[in-house]
Amino acid sequence: MKYFFFIAALGLLITAGCGDNADKSTSEASQDNELQTKERPAHQVGVVTIKEQAIALNHELPGRVKAFMTADIRPQVSGIIQSRFFEEGSLVEEGQQLYQIDPARYQADYQSAKASLQNSKAELELALAFQSRYQSLIKTNTVSEQTFDSAKASVAKANAAVALSLAKVKKAKINLDYTKVHAPISGYISPSTVTKGALITAQQQTALATIRQLDPVYVDLSQSAADAKTLQQSLMTSRMTKGEDAKFEVTLLFGNNDFIYPHKGSLYATDLAVDENTGTIRLRSIFPNPNAALLPGMFVRGTIEEMGIEETIIVPQKAVSIEADGSKVVWVVDANNIANKRAVVTSGTYKNNWVIKSGLKTGDTVIVVGAMMLQPGAKVAPKNIKSKDSTNTSSGATKSDDHATANAENNKTSSN
């Protein structure tokens, strides 16, 4: 029995010793991790402190791209297509020949009309000769007054026949010219709906092709009738201060990643009627489109500047990242200089900034430069980015971007 208690006591001592060693190992590992964390340099980042600012209203409006000019090519005469002279989808110039319709019948009509004209002219010359002869004989009473009146009537009738023949010649020449189908405007031409040998009819419903002028283009934005009053007031105020030539700039966004179209447009016209189906008013703007990036029918979103003033939060565009699911996030630094991602919702753009609808509040610290190297929970060394104009924060961030990136690379090297 004594031997049994001795063995049990020995087992307890061994177990306690192992536990102490395990706790000691865990404690030492934790201390090592803390020491490594303290020794690892913090990432250098450029930050801005968020605060509300008074900016011009810049709400997004849905819209569609419209061609500046559109021309459907339809034949003016019937016949067989002999040739096509354009490459489908290419740029064609005004006056360029597109199709050739078989001209044989219209050439014959033209020749026949010219022959009829010559016959009418001959009859006119004969009538004039009779009139001249009777006019000299009427003085000697060789012919009667009735005969002379008939001669004058014949001349008038011959003149009318000549005029009618001239009209027929002109019409035949027009129809002959219509066998050559030309481009009425310059622009990009669609694929042809007919091929060589196809029979077409004059003014048929189906167009042979369509030409669209794409530089510039119209963008028709839709605004609710309730909000249109704000726009009208802004228009009136702007024209009173800047004159009748005052313009409203328009910015476009399109694509899943909210790509900002590089060219600014301007508000061109506003509709004076409300669409009964949608309850919206059409706002037509005009945009340069040198590279044909905007195509007719494309869905876009537009923001009209100077539509009023409001207090809101804005952040530089480069501070906002777009995740794979399309959501937007920013890196926020807390009071302990720890960086973490935060989801935000935007409502539009203002100059080089995103307008934040939700996700940020006054006093938050947002990383603008150096976020590429970060992991959630990383220790950072924030440095405020100063700029003369808070609305141009992104320009200040651009200037210090290379410096911050170089510091981050150095920190990474030293930590390794």
Side-chain angles (χ1 to χ4, degrees), residues 75-82 100-106 178-179 194-204 208:
Q76 301 301 306
V77 293
S78 302
I80 302 295
I81 295 290
Q82 281 189 336
Q100 176 64 59
I101 302 173
D102 185 5
R105 188 182 75 181
Y106 301 101
Y178 277 152
T179 61
V194 295
T195 61
K196 180 179 177 180
L199 174 64
I200 58 176
T201 58
Q203 300 178 357
Q204 64 184 31
L208 303 181

Side-chain angles (χ1 to χ4, degrees), residues 5-27:
F5 283 114
F6 174 76
I7 295 298
L10 181 61
L12 290 173
L13 290 174
I14 293 173
T15 304
C18 292
D20 291 342
N21 291 334
D23 292 342
K24 182 177 180 181
S25 299
T26 303
S27 177

